[in-house]
Amino acid sequence: MYYWTLLNEKELCLLNFYTFLIINFLYQSKMKSIKPLFLLTFILIFLNSIVSAQDTDRGKTQWVDSIMSSLSLKEKIGQLMLVRANQPGKNYDPNIIKYIKDYDIGGVTFFKGGPVEQLKTTNEYQSAAKTPMLISIDAEWGLGMRLDSTISFPLQMTLGAISDNHLIEEMGLEIAKECKRMGIQFNFAPVVDINSNPKNPVIGMRSFGEDRDNVAAKGVAYMEGLQSENIISTAKHFPGHGDTDIDSHKSLPTITHDSLRMDSLELYPFKHLFNHNLSGIMIAHLYVPTYEKENNLPTTLSNNVVTKLLKEQLGFKGLVVTDGLDMQGVAKYFPAGEIEVRALEAGNDILLLPQNVPVAVQSIEKAIKEGRLSEDLINDRCRKVLSYKYDAGLNELTLQSTDNLYQDLNNSKALALRKKLFEHAITLVKNDSDLIPLKNLDDISIASISIGKNNNSFQRMLDRYSGVEKLYLPKVSNESQQKQVLRKAKKADVIIIDVQNTNINARDNFGVSKETIAFINQLRKDTKAKIILDVFAAPYVLSDINPDHFDAILMSYQEKVDAQLASAQIIFGGLPALGHLPVNVSESFKLGQGIETKKIRIAYEASNSTVLHPEYLAKVDSILLNGLKIKAYPGCQVMAMKDGAVIYNRNLGFHTANRKKAVRPDDIYDIASITKIAATT
């Protein structure tokens, strides 16, 4: 076995060739048993895999050794730091280049900004760096969490309502590809905190939900999508930030649960990801007395948590990164410099967002001289960071171009995936008498009351299926406004209410005002119409809803356009309802609750629509525009459908040559003359 690993590539190829000849000869000789063939083939494959693995390990070791030999102690310390590149929405820190040159910092973390500016800055930093840098970002729901003009996928609690976890893995893969396009190697995702506290001010909709198995399974799917493209996936926030009522950005939350509860719930998803080769983990700023007796010592700085619990007891071997060291959950109790020393003492590999880089480096150097930290510890952590840089491809760093960047980050496949995720998440939690999907549209009148957002995509999609009277109430409405809307709405057979202009802030009741709650809860008293409620907000809002006042209730989670389009189509049966509640809300709205329906009508702008190539669409458009140009017709409406979905829909020109009335999607045409033959054919 040892000598096999010493073969070079040419020798290995020759050996493979001769082995093939032997196998072929034995086969041609019509051996009585082919078992030896299988055995020989298996041995060959096994030995080749050993050589391949050892070649990779040898290459990594050589690269890491060469970098280590070039670094001073100060630079090895610098390699353990990911420095804040910018405050959200502000210019990039002018000190970064100095930190790169003076300390050879390990990398940077980007916050709010634009993709072109960030990529140019990334290339500038990488070009200036002695050692290739880890570029990191919080992209929990995609690059859109931090970068304008990029895709925001659904929040994790919306994803928690989806049954098909392969979709979550697809999303992780797409986010990974977009990270690579931006020169990013390190994504601080997924969040695997179990949000067992509805009033949690910092996790909430960032969690997959309340069920530990659902959180774990979706965390693994997201992680595997990221790691399939060699992006470092970072599960957070260990040992579990889900049952807190304090924001660790502002103070230090305390978790009072005993070790049995922590092990069975909070730690459960993390352990599940460890079993699937998680690459990284982020330590939260929490005070957990069951693990740490020193008063107000954050888990980030606790050796009992990072080393004894995480590394020794749970056996995690991956990259350990602190949460931001400039957050008040840790900075409130310890000064800059001391924080970084304690974080290394605790067992962390990477120091994220140190408040003051020069002070942090000096403090660590001083701790080494005083014996608090050893140089061997720094060497070990530095080698570990460098090995992850190698795995992320930084040994062969290629700078990304800004050419076609916006198009690449907003590709049609990713946009279709985002639609599909929302379509699979939207949850029908009540449906008396199978009201949804609506039937017999010719025999019913429908009124739509939009609360918080006027003339929105939801109402426009409703109008595609049936003539809908569109009404509007502001987020905070008075009695006069409510009476006026009610007077028009109560004449309808069906009233559809959508609640929008919401947010993810638990302390603000997720953006749903008390006036809105009062209005929708008392609407039943004023009308005999069938009432459908559609909530574009966190599912916890349902705790304020009296289900007896509604015939059907939809939870649409977010007011994104894709969610609005999908939810409206579910009401009419253009799409099926597939989602299930990811949290317990009340006795009426329980974890896992969700009524599934079937598609009964065509779909518009759906994820399953055939995507026509832009060049083909341009040709079709050119034919239509040419018809207008040569005055073959004053205007036209063209629609094409395939597999139950509209794949092409254009409205061009005017009704008549006098160009006074433009063609609209809701225009109705009679069939006459040539059209009578052509259209029916």
Side-chain angles (χ1 to χ4, degrees):
M1 182 73 71
Y2 170 75
Y3 292 107
W4 186 281
T5 64
L6 297 180
L7 296 176
N8 61 35
E9 186 176 352
K10 182 177 179 181
E11 292 167 337
L12 194 61
C13 287
L14 285 171
L15 183 59
N16 287 343
F17 175 70
Y18 289 130
T19 304
F20 171 76
L21 290 179
I22 293 170
I23 292 173
N24 187 59
F25 171 76
L26 293 174
Y27 181 78
Q28 295 294 335
S29 301
K30 298 181 180 179
M31 294 177 59
K32 293 181 180 180
S33 172
I34 62 172
K35 287 183 180 179
L37 296 180
F38 286 118
L39 180 61
L40 190 58
T41 302
F42 173 77
I43 292 172
L44 180 65
I45 293 171
F46 175 69
L47 292 175
N48 280 343
S49 68
I50 292 175
V51 173
S52 177
Q54 292 211 1
D55 281 346
T56 301
D57 290 341
R58 189 182 301 119
K60 181 193 295 188
T61 300
Q62 290 173 348
W63 186 80
V64 171
D65 285 345
S66 68
I67 298 295
M68 286 291 292
S69 66
S70 72
L71 299 176
S72 65
L73 175 60
K74 183 181 295 183
E75 290 170 333
K76 291 174 184 175
I77 295 170
Q79 281 295 301
L80 308 183
M81 296 184 183
L82 292 182
V83 180
R84 179 186 287 275
N86 63 309
Q87 293 291 340
K90 295 185 179 180
N91 293 332
Y92 299 113
D93 188 343
N95 292 310
I96 296 295
I97 292 294
K98 178 176 173 57
Y99 296 155
I100 291 172
K101 293 180 177 179
D102 290 354
Y103 306 110
D104 196 23
I105 55 174
V108 294
T109 302
F110 284 98
F111 290 85
K112 285 285 186 182
V116 171
E117 293 78 12
Q118 178 171 311
L119 184 51
K120 287 180 178 178
T121 305
T122 295
N123 290 341
E124 179 188 357
Y125 291 167
Q126 292 287 26
S127 298
K130 174 181 176 181
T131 306
M133 301 174 68
L134 280 172
I135 306 301
S136 58
I137 197 168
D138 269 313
E140 294 168 16
W141 52 86
L143 294 180
M145 181 175 175
R146 297 299 184 195
L147 300 179
D148 62 37
S149 308
T150 59
I151 295 177
S152 287
F153 289 96
L155 300 175
Q156 286 193 192
M157 190 164 290
T158 306
L159 300 175
I162 296 173
S163 298
D164 185 357
N165 289 335
H166 291 296
L167 293 176
I168 315 301
E169 185 174 352
E170 282 185 45
M171 184 197 75
L173 175 61
E174 179 57 38
I175 292 173
K177 290 179 178 178
E178 292 173 15
C179 283
K180 291 183 78 170
R181 182 65 181 86
M182 284 294 300
I184 295 167
Q185 300 83 32
F186 210 153
N187 185 9
F188 299 137
V191 174
V192 293
D193 301 313
I194 296 171
N195 201 71
S196 55
N197 187 342
K199 296 181 179 179
N200 195 316
V202 66
I203 304 301
M205 289 291 285
R206 298 167 62 198
S207 164
F208 287 118
E210 192 175 343
D211 177 74
R212 68 175 195 171
D213 291 305
N214 191 38
V215 171
K218 286 178 168 57
V220 167
Y222 189 172
M223 173 204 80
E224 289 183 337
L226 288 174
Q227 293 184 181
S228 66
E229 289 288 323
N230 294 325
I231 297 297
I232 300 171
S233 175
T234 318
K236 59 187 186 184
H237 306 78
F238 187 86
H241 209 318
D243 192 8
T244 59
D245 55 9
I246 292 175
D247 185 347
S248 55
H249 292 85
K250 301 175 181 178
S251 191
L252 181 64
T254 298
I255 304 252
T256 58
H257 301 308
D258 60 25
S259 58
L260 183 61
R261 152 67 191 255
M262 293 293 295
D263 187 68
S264 63
L265 192 68
E266 275 77 11
L267 296 180
Y268 182 87
F270 292 101
K271 292 188 290 184
H272 201 67
L273 269 67
F274 296 168
N275 292 334
H276 288 78
N277 300 314
L278 173 69
S279 53
I281 195 166
M282 179 179 286
I283 309 298
H285 301 317
L286 304 169
Y287 177 52
V288 189
T290 193
Y291 298 135
E292 180 55 62
K293 302 308 178 187
E294 183 178 337
N295 193 39
N296 289 328
L297 183 66
T299 43
T300 336
L301 310 186
S302 169
N303 184 272
N304 288 328
V305 171
V306 181
T307 296
K308 293 181 180 178
L309 174 64
L310 176 62
K311 292 185 172 182
E312 295 176 1
Q313 184 177 327
L314 299 180
F316 182 67
K317 305 297 183 185
L319 204 57
V320 182
V321 56
T322 69
D323 206 340
L325 298 181
D326 56 0
M327 294 165 60
Q328 287 303 300
V330 63
K332 183 177 179 179
Y333 298 96
F334 299 94
E338 178 65 15
I339 290 175
E340 288 75 18
V341 170
R342 284 188 172 235
L344 291 175
E345 287 179 320
N348 294 283
D349 300 312
I350 287 185
L351 307 172
L352 178 64
L353 311 185
Q355 295 179 68
N356 188 316
V357 173
V359 168
V361 173
Q362 292 166 11
S363 297
I364 294 169
E365 286 181 316
K366 181 181 178 183
I368 293 171
K369 290 179 181 178
E370 294 175 349
R372 283 184 66 184
L373 295 172
S374 70
E375 193 166 341
D376 286 343
L377 180 148
I378 301 299
N379 287 334
D380 290 343
R381 305 276 168 83
C382 186
R383 292 188 70 88
K384 186 175 182 181
V385 170
L386 290 172
S387 71
Y388 274 85
K389 287 188 174 186
Y390 183 93
D391 292 339
L394 286 174
N395 60 309
E396 297 178 346
L397 175 64
T398 301
L399 300 182
Q400 294 290 324
S401 168
T402 58
D403 293 346
N404 300 314
L405 184 61
Y406 288 109
Q407 296 92 320
D408 293 343
L409 298 179
N410 293 275
N411 64 84
S412 59
K413 183 179 178 182
L415 294 172
L417 175 60
R418 183 176 65 183
K419 282 180 181 290
K420 184 180 287 189
L421 291 166
F422 277 112
E423 290 168 4
H424 280 248
I426 292 167
T427 307
L428 182 60
V429 294
K430 183 179 182 181
N431 195 27
D432 289 350
S433 303
D434 294 327
L435 177 60
I436 292 177
L438 292 175
K439 305 165 189 72
N440 305 318
L441 300 184
D442 292 339
D443 302 326
I444 60 174
S445 58
I446 303 172
S448 168
I449 304 174
S450 182
I451 301 177
K453 187 175 288 186
N454 194 14
N455 192 27
N456 52 44
S457 299
F458 176 77
Q459 286 188 317
R460 291 194 293 274
M461 180 58 76
L462 291 177
D463 212 29
R464 288 195 181 190
Y465 287 96
S466 181
V468 174
E469 183 173 11
K470 303 184 190 72
L471 304 169
Y472 167 71
L473 269 178
K475 183 173 180 176
V476 179
S477 58
N478 57 43
E479 186 177 352
S480 174
Q481 291 169 317
Q482 293 176 6
K483 284 183 177 180
Q484 185 178 356
V485 165
L486 182 58
R487 186 166 55 251
K488 296 178 181 179
K490 66 181 182 181
K491 299 175 185 177
D493 298 307
V494 176
I495 299 174
I496 303 172
I497 308 167
D498 64 286
V499 179
Q500 300 202 40
N501 195 5
T502 61
N503 58 52
I504 62 173
N505 187 351
R507 289 177 179 168
D508 187 33
N509 198 37
F510 305 99
V512 181
S513 69
K514 61 181 184 298
E515 289 86 356
T516 294
I517 296 296
F519 173 75
I520 61 179
N521 275 333
Q522 65 100 40
L523 187 60
R524 170 64 72 199
K525 301 175 184 177
D526 299 304
T527 179
K528 294 182 180 179
K530 299 290 186 182
I531 304 176
I532 298 172
L533 175 65
D534 200 335
V535 182
F536 292 86
Y540 299 114
V541 170
L542 293 175
S543 64
D544 295 327
I545 303 301
N546 185 337
D548 296 335
H549 293 178
F550 306 94
D551 298 278
I553 301 174
L554 278 157
M555 171 49 57
S556 294
Y557 301 100
Q558 296 174 246
E559 59 184 47
K560 297 294 185 181
V561 170
D562 285 335
Q564 295 181 51
L565 298 178
S567 196
Q569 293 181 83
I570 287 171
I571 290 173
F572 282 99
L575 293 170
L578 299 170
H580 297 267
L581 282 180
V583 293
N584 269 307
V585 178
S586 66
E587 283 300 312
S588 300
F589 306 109
K590 295 182 178 180
L591 176 70
Q593 189 169 321
I595 301 163
E596 297 190 8
T597 61
K598 293 184 178 180
K599 170 183 169 65
I600 63 170
R601 292 191 179 91
I602 64 169
Y604 296 87
E605 301 181 41
S607 64
N608 66 338
S609 299
T610 301
V611 179
L612 299 178
H613 194 279
E615 289 183 9
Y616 180 80
L617 290 175
K619 289 180 180 179
V620 177
D621 288 344
S622 69
I623 294 171
L624 300 182
L625 291 169
N626 186 58
L628 292 174
K629 183 179 179 181
I630 65 175
K631 298 183 179 180
Y633 40 77
C636 61
Q637 181 182 125
V638 180
M639 178 182 288
M641 290 178 284
K642 185 178 186 296
D643 300 327
V646 174
I647 62 173
Y648 183 87
N649 192 8
R650 290 286 192 275
N651 305 281
L652 301 171
F654 297 84
H655 280 230
T656 60
N658 63 16
R659 300 172 61 86
K660 289 184 177 180
K661 186 177 181 181
V663 174
R664 289 173 44 82
D666 55 357
D667 286 336
I668 298 174
Y669 301 82
D670 66 346
I671 297 179
S673 305
I674 296 175
T675 315
K676 190 176 295 180
I677 300 170
T680 53
T681 301

